[in-house]
Amino acid sequence: MTMNEVSERYKIPVKILKEYESWGLCGEIKKEMGSWHYDDSDIERLSTIMTLHDIGFASEEIEKYMRLLAAGTSAETERIKILEEKRNGTLDEIHLKQQQLDRLDYLRFDIKRSKKDI
């Protein structure tokens, strides 16, 4: 598939595809008649990139993760460490949001209680 076909079919912005190519991690992508052609393994890697993007990884973090992925099993420990750090950061954000929600609920409760006292 060409870059435009991949972009349309999988809803991956061309910008992301070009960035991916610039990392030199394109695997089996072949250039034919001036345009890139993606095979199934390329699509699988692009899916991983989009997943990382969707869960909050910055481009630099995605590139690092993908380089480790390309390194194979020798880099699995480092990949797990990266994912655990991101998971812990996400949990911290969830806990902060829960505290904010608790405070909002208290303020709502306080207003409703004061209405009853009037």
Side-chain angles (χ1 to χ4, degrees), residues 5-117:
E5 290 169 337
V6 169
S7 177
E8 285 181 31
R9 177 181 270 177
Y10 297 101
K11 307 297 185 231
I12 301 171
V14 171
K15 176 183 174 185
I16 298 287
L17 296 173
K18 287 182 179 181
E19 184 172 14
Y20 174 60
E21 290 173 2
S22 76
W23 295 342
L25 299 171
C26 298
E28 299 301 317
I29 295 176
K30 296 174 178 60
K31 197 165 188 176
E32 296 176 13
M33 296 174 40
S35 63
W36 292 98
H37 288 269
Y38 297 80
D39 68 12
D40 290 341
S41 63
D42 296 314
I43 301 302
E44 188 174 320
R45 282 189 294 276
L46 287 168
S47 175
T48 300
I49 288 171
M50 295 307 294
T51 298
L52 295 170
H53 181 267
D54 290 346
I55 59 177
F57 276 65
S59 291
E60 300 80 27
E61 294 171 312
I62 294 171
E63 181 178 2
K64 179 181 180 181
Y65 186 91
M66 294 306 293
R67 288 192 186 282
L68 292 169
L69 180 62
T73 57
S74 64
E76 284 179 350
T77 302
E78 182 66 20
R79 287 189 0 237
I80 288 173
K81 180 182 173 195
I82 290 169
L83 293 173
E84 286 177 351
E85 287 173 1
K86 185 59 79 174
R87 184 179 192 281
N88 289 337
T90 300
L91 284 172
D92 289 344
E93 290 175 30
I94 289 170
H95 294 183
L96 175 62
K97 291 296 182 187
Q98 183 62 55
Q99 289 173 347
Q100 291 172 336
L101 187 59
D102 291 344
R103 290 177 182 143
L104 283 166
D105 286 345
Y106 173 77
L107 292 171
R108 289 174 54 226
F109 168 78
D110 196 40
I111 291 169
K112 288 176 183 179
R113 185 185 63 195
S114 66
K115 277 183 165 180
K116 287 180 183 177
D117 291 342

